[in-house]
Amino acid sequence: MGRMTVRAYAVERAGGPVQRLEYEPEPLGPLEVDVAVTHCGVCQTDVGMVDDAHGYSRFPLVAGHEAVGVIEAVGSAVDGGQLAVGRRVGVGAVAGACFACEWCLSGRQYLCADKDDTVLRGHRGAFATQVRASDWRYVQPIPDSLASEHAAPLLCAGITVFSAITRNGVRPTDRVAVVGVGGLGHLAIQFLAKWGCHVTAISSTAAKADDSRRFGAHEFVAAEEGLERVSGSFDFILSTVSADLPWDAYLAALRPQGTLCVVGVPHGPFGFQPLSLLLGEKRLVGGLVGSPAESRQMLDFAARHGIRPAVETFPVARMDEALDHVRRGRARYRAVLEF
């Protein structure tokens, strides 16, 4: 079968605008899978890449790493029974790993130094009619009960918060807090509530109190009112915001041996008093996306418990508008492109 021309949506310079870019894909490797994209989430990370916020974007750049579609072609070494042509699948932030280093062999492929990031590798992500996974193990079958527009944001935002919960040993009996009710936070609230935890949402936007409760939060704290009344309350706090927070106050909100997990990217260095961490044996940890096995667990958990992102859909012709919507923090709560 002849190779099909891929129609991608690229930016030629930082900030856009989006322009069409057509390219002929390389021959399919033995472990590779081509997926015809039907839906793709717009993540804050995509906007950061488009805007070259971190200084390492290379142009022309095709962003997009929350893709759902159908398998178009598989390599010669791919199990066609599990990943048959025509099956609905997802490709997330990582599209492959070496599967030979100590991290991969212990199931922690997200720490692989040679992992294949969907956007960073070759800079041809999923804002396109087709995306290629370099390893079939990173192609996730989508449960039938999950609509494609709901599955797409789970492939990055969903797995980021889900793996933070599982890898930090959060228990159903724990009292937890989610900082920020946004693209990550509104999913974290749902996962933690279905996990069995007592969930408190903390936000600088008081108007999100009702939404927080709709997502499953038991309590809401307006951040500007301060955290004094919840001091010493939480076993686990998940920070999902891209902001510099009063870290001492958040560490003080933990119970002894509690964990503050940061998955949103602060603008500046962490600043806190050492005793805020040392007294009470508290932990400050970072979080990443998950392994292929964790992603499948997350999709299954979301399907079984009715966890769904709140999405706003945009036809691909309005991609510039969708990017700006996310850039300005206006999405409620995830933007998804339809191809």
Side-chain angles (χ1 to χ4, degrees):
M1 187 175 74
R3 283 177 277 158
M4 295 178 63
T5 299
V6 177
R7 186 172 70 251
Y9 297 84
V11 291
E12 302 283 343
R13 56 178 173 78
V18 171
Q19 297 177 321
R20 282 213 188 164
L21 170 71
E22 293 191 348
Y23 67 89
E24 298 292 329
E26 296 294 319
L28 198 64
L31 296 176
E32 294 181 335
V33 177
D34 280 340
V35 176
V37 179
T38 63
H39 296 77
C40 190
V42 181
C43 184
Q44 193 69 50
T45 305
D46 293 315
V47 175
M49 291 293 294
V50 166
D51 294 347
D52 197 17
H54 305 291
Y56 54 69
S57 300
R58 290 185 301 185
F59 300 95
L61 180 138
V62 181
H65 61 272
E66 295 179 340
V68 172
V70 296
I71 294 177
E72 209 163 43
V74 300
S76 59
V78 177
D79 180 355
Q82 185 180 168
L83 295 176
V85 171
R87 182 164 191 179
R88 190 171 64 121
V89 296
V91 178
V94 181
C98 79
F99 285 92
C101 68
E102 64 174 301
W103 309 106
C104 285
L105 292 175
S106 59
R108 293 173 287 177
Q109 294 89 353
Y110 49 88
L111 296 175
C112 176
D114 294 320
K115 71 179 185 295
D116 213 358
D117 293 300
T118 302
V119 173
L120 298 184
R121 60 180 183 101
H123 303 274
R124 287 179 176 170
F127 289 171
T129 54
Q130 179 186 291
V131 67
R132 175 170 292 181
S134 57
D135 193 296
W136 63 271
R137 285 164 283 198
Y138 272 94
V139 178
Q140 308 294 340
I142 303 298
D144 291 341
S145 63
L146 280 175
S148 295
E149 64 268 25
H150 292 145
L154 294 175
L155 297 169
C156 178
I159 187 56
T160 296
V161 298
F162 183 84
S163 60
I165 296 165
T166 57
R167 292 207 288 265
N168 287 294
V170 176
R171 303 163 300 180
T173 53
D174 284 345
R175 300 181 71 88
V176 303
V178 175
V179 186
V181 185
L184 290 168
H186 91 289
L187 286 169
I189 291 168
Q190 293 182 64
F191 277 115
L192 286 161
K194 294 298 185 182
W195 207 253
C197 301
H198 182 280
V199 184
T200 297
I202 302 174
S203 175
S204 59
T205 308
K208 290 183 177 179
D210 288 343
D211 279 355
S212 299
R213 293 189 176 92
R214 180 164 58 87
F215 296 133
H218 302 90
E219 294 184 41
F220 180 87
V221 172
E224 63 269 19
E225 295 174 3
L227 302 179
E228 289 79 9
R229 74 177 177 87
V230 291
S231 182
S233 295
F234 305 116
D235 300 288
F236 180 73
I237 299 175
L238 183 63
S239 174
T240 69
V241 297
S242 299
D244 299 321
L245 298 177
W247 300 110
D248 285 297
Y250 280 95
L251 287 168
L254 290 171
R255 300 178 67 217
Q257 296 189 329
T259 298
L260 170 57
C261 179
V262 178
V263 293
V265 182
H267 297 303
F270 285 102
F272 57 88
Q273 296 297 321
L275 291 183
S276 295
L277 193 70
L278 302 182
L279 295 179
E281 289 191 334
K282 296 172 183 179
R283 299 167 66 235
L284 173 63
V285 301
L288 279 173
V289 295
S291 66
E294 287 171 319
S295 293
R296 295 194 182 201
Q297 286 179 337
M298 178 274 301
L299 288 167
D300 180 62
F301 189 87
R304 189 163 69 246
H305 291 284
I307 293 168
R308 302 289 185 272
V311 300
E312 297 176 71
T313 57
F314 294 80
V316 70
R318 292 168 55 199
M319 186 180 293
D320 279 314
E321 183 184 338
L323 287 166
D324 201 53
H325 197 57
V326 174
R327 184 181 287 118
R328 294 175 184 274
R330 292 176 177 166
R332 294 293 182 270
Y333 280 86
R334 299 292 290 191
V336 177
L337 296 166
E338 295 180 319
F339 287 80

